[in-house]
Amino acid sequence: MTTSSPILIAGGGLVGASLAIALDAAGIPAVLVEAAAPRVGEQPSYDERNLALARATVNGLKAIGVWDFAADRATPIVHIRTSRAGDFGSVRMDAADEGVDALGWTLPARELGEALLRRLDRCRLLTRMAPARVDAIAAADGGWTVTVTGSDGIAREVFTPLLVGADGTGSGVRRQLGIPVREHDYGQSLFVCTMTPERDPQGRAYERFTDAGPVAVLPLAERRVGVVLTVDAAQADTVATMDDAAFAAFAQARFGWRLGRLSRPGKRSPYLIRRVAADSVVGDRAVLVGNAAQTVHPIGAQGFNLGLRDALTLAELVTGATDPGDAALLREYARRRAPDREGTMAMSHALVRLACMEQPLLAPLRSLAMLTLDRVPPLRHALSRRGMGFRAHAPLAVRETTP
């Protein structure tokens, strides 16, 4: 027996769950196929990473009713300082200068995951299939017939006029649609953990570029910080086997002493870093969102912020549409997302190439650029607004009026 749904979302991670919630809030029925059981400990994207959520992202989470379940565990970011080891100058962004209470917030991914799950439990029009997987898709008149297999081994067919791939970097939906990708291996691995600094960060976040890659330090509750440390892939195994004292010394050498001594590193989780960009974010009655559409370098913490804007733009466009998979609607989705998507991917890639790689001849130019951005208020303001996630053609849910 074949059932039907206006929209089927493959992938119940952070972006897929957000899309499902946004659709339900708009009164649109959907099916969400989740590979993992609907519990925080079972969902691989609800992990130990500490997410830097842009202000626009938090606006979006408020609009779909998720932030109420996460706000008390989030830490405001009121100041961001960006610098480069060996160069002079830095770029400083301050919430007070922008007339807002925070530029963004830091939140562990598992805490955001728990908030999403709690909000999903309140959805009225959403059908959740979990744990389950999309095994096959077949073109049908006016849509797709999707074969979904549950943990019981039983295959079920769902017809949908719009199939959404929210199933991550290795997207099976993207592969079955035949959409090619462009990949770039940065030859780097990322380590994330929490640490305790000697001095309270007081809402300050830091991004430090080095020859070996960027280091980010994010404020957390209880005077802890989230450390995001990039290392050369050849060094990853060595770093992974360091004891706490050795890792603390390693992180200290890379980040410096802005917060005094760093100690008590928590559980360390490594991630490979690669850039994966789909040649197209839409297909025939199909859309890719989040990491299925683009996986960017973690520099600047743009991954989930970008993916949520994907999800909320799609939800906005299909609201009130008689046919959510209409070709003109999907072309409009691609048009709206193109500047944000391409600009963010280009920026993150350029920062890695220009700010992190050892290029001594560029050092004076990098320093001059940082001094200019920091000392010229209109440029700093524009950079701050971009850092807060405000983009052209942004979905209505993330917008606000700021100075």
Side-chain angles (χ1 to χ4, degrees), residues 138-228:
D141 186 21
W144 296 93
T145 298
V146 182
T147 302
V148 181
T149 303
S151 59
D152 55 7
I154 298 175
R156 298 169 175 83
E157 290 188 342
V158 181
F159 171 79
T160 183
L162 178 60
L163 172 62
V164 179
D167 49 345
T169 303
S171 173
V173 168
R174 186 185 65 219
R175 183 178 61 255
Q176 292 183 72
L177 289 171
I179 297 177
V181 297
R182 289 161 285 128
E183 298 190 40
H184 180 81
D185 185 351
Y186 288 100
Q188 297 175 333
S189 290
L190 188 74
F191 285 84
V192 299
C193 71
T194 61
M195 299 187 75
T196 298
E198 185 178 357
R199 292 194 289 273
D200 189 338
Q202 296 182 322
R204 288 174 166 79
Y206 299 85
E207 186 150 43
R208 181 75 166 166
F209 298 120
T210 73
D211 292 345
V215 182
V217 173
L218 306 171
L220 295 173
E222 300 175 349
R223 288 193 57 173
R224 299 278 283 171
V225 292
V227 176
V228 183

Side-chain angles (χ1 to χ4, degrees), residues 91-135:
V91 179
R92 295 162 295 179
M93 293 180 281
D94 195 275
D97 291 344
E98 299 304 317
V100 296
D101 59 339
L103 300 168
W105 282 261
T106 307
L107 185 69
R110 55 182 166 75
E111 300 285 5
L112 177 57
E114 181 178 342
L116 288 166
L117 290 174
R118 291 173 67 185
R119 178 62 179 85
L120 282 169
D121 288 341
R122 300 194 176 193
C123 290
R124 297 175 295 105
L125 303 175
L126 178 67
T127 299
R128 299 169 69 185
M129 303 177 73
R133 65 179 185 272
V134 171
D135 276 336

Side-chain angles (χ1 to χ4, degrees), residues 297-319:
H297 194 286
I299 192 170
Q302 291 299 314
F304 174 68
N305 294 299
L306 182 62
L308 184 68
R309 295 195 293 273
D310 289 346
L312 295 179
T313 299
L314 181 60
E316 183 178 301
L317 283 169
V318 301
T319 298

Side-chain angles (χ1 to χ4, degrees), residues 292-382:
Q294 65 278 316
T295 299
V296 299
H297 194 286
I299 192 170
Q302 291 299 314
F304 174 68
N305 294 299
L306 182 62
L308 184 68
R309 295 195 293 273
D310 289 346
L312 295 179
T313 299
L314 181 60
E316 183 178 301
L317 283 169
V318 301
T319 298
T322 56
D323 180 1
D326 178 70
L329 184 152
L330 299 187
R331 284 195 298 271
E332 176 63 11
Y333 171 82
R335 185 191 72 81
R336 289 194 191 183
R337 295 306 301 138
D340 186 8
R341 177 178 186 259
E342 293 167 8
T344 300
M345 287 193 296
M347 178 196 71
S348 65
H349 189 67
L351 280 174
V352 175
R353 303 299 300 174
L354 296 176
C356 295
M357 301 305 177
E358 186 176 3
Q359 299 174 6
L361 294 179
L362 289 179
L365 294 177
R366 286 193 302 246
S367 298
L368 180 61
M370 284 194 178
L371 284 172
T372 302
L373 287 170
D374 189 59
R375 302 292 176 85
V376 180
L379 292 178
R380 190 174 65 246
H381 175 69

